Amino acid sequence: MEEMRKFGFWIYLMTDIIIFGTLFATYIVLKGNTNGGPGPADLFQIGGIIVSTFILLISSYTSGLAVLAMHKGNRQALMRWLGVTALLGAAFIAMEVNEFIHLVGEGATLSTSAFLSAFYTLVGTHGLHVLVGLVWMIAIIIQLGKHGITPVTKRKVHIISLFWHFLDVVWIFVFTIVYLMGVS
C-alpha cells in the first residue's frame, strides 16, 4: 500500500509539472506586455532574489540530511533537519512576501499589466506550494514525535523531501527565466 501511495504522489507531481509548464509558457508570452508600465529590469532587485535562492537551495540540502538521518534511524536528527528545512522555507516565503509588498508599493500590482499578472501568478503559485510544503513538513515532524520512524512516516518523509526538491528545481527555472533573463 505504501508503494501505491508513492506512485500516487508521482502522478500528482506530474500534474504540477503541467501546471508550472503552463505558467512558464504564459509568463514568457506575456513578459513584454507591460502596458507602458514597468518591466522586469525596472522592478527586480536581484540581490535579494539571489539571497532567497541561496536560502531555498540550502533548504534542499537540509532536507536531504533529514532523509539521511532517517535512514540511520536517528529520529531526533531527522526532526531537527526537517525543522531547519522548514525554517529556511519560512525565511524564503518571508522574503517573497517582502518582495511582493515592495512591488505593490511601487505601483506594480496584479492588475497593472499582463506581465505583472503572469509574474504574480507564476511566482505566487510557487510560493503557495512552498507554504503548503511547510505546513506538511510541520505535520510530519509532529507525527515523527508521536509515532517515531515507521514505514508510514518513512514514506511521508520521502515524499515531502521529493516535493521539496521539486520546488527547488521549479525555483531554479523561476530564478533563471523570470529574474535573470528579466534584468539582462
Side-chain angles (χ1 to χ4, degrees), residues 2-16:
E2 294 303 313
E3 290 304 314
M4 285 301 291
R5 290 185 176 166
K6 278 187 187 179
F7 179 70
F9 181 74
W10 278 103
I11 292 172
Y12 160 76
L13 216 51
M14 286 185 253
T15 65
D16 252 9

Side-chain angles (χ1 to χ4, degrees), residues 71-132:
H71 287 303
K72 291 180 181 177
N74 188 338
R75 178 172 68 163
Q76 291 305 314
L78 166 57
M79 292 170 63
R80 194 169 34 251
W81 284 120
L82 285 176
V84 170
T85 303
L87 287 173
L88 290 167
F92 174 84
I93 289 294
M95 291 184 77
E96 189 168 283
V97 167
N98 187 50
E99 176 193 19
F100 283 10
I101 290 169
H102 171 76
L103 292 174
V104 168
E106 297 284 319
T109 67
L110 186 68
S111 61
T112 301
S113 67
F115 150 67
L116 286 167
S117 294
F119 165 77
Y120 282 116
T121 302
L122 173 57
V123 177
T125 299
H126 177 268
L128 180 63
H129 277 72
V130 172
L131 186 61
V132 167

Side-chain angles (χ1 to χ4, degrees), residues 21-67:
T22 303
L23 293 176
F24 275 110
T26 302
Y27 176 81
I28 290 166
V29 168
L30 296 178
K31 78 176 183 174
N33 297 337
T34 61
N35 194 29
D42 305 316
L43 295 172
F44 298 152
Q45 298 176 346
I46 200 69
I49 303 305
I50 289 171
V51 171
S52 65
T53 298
F54 184 70
I55 287 170
L56 195 62
L57 293 178
I58 293 291
S59 77
S60 195
Y61 177 72
T62 59
S63 173
L65 291 174
V67 172

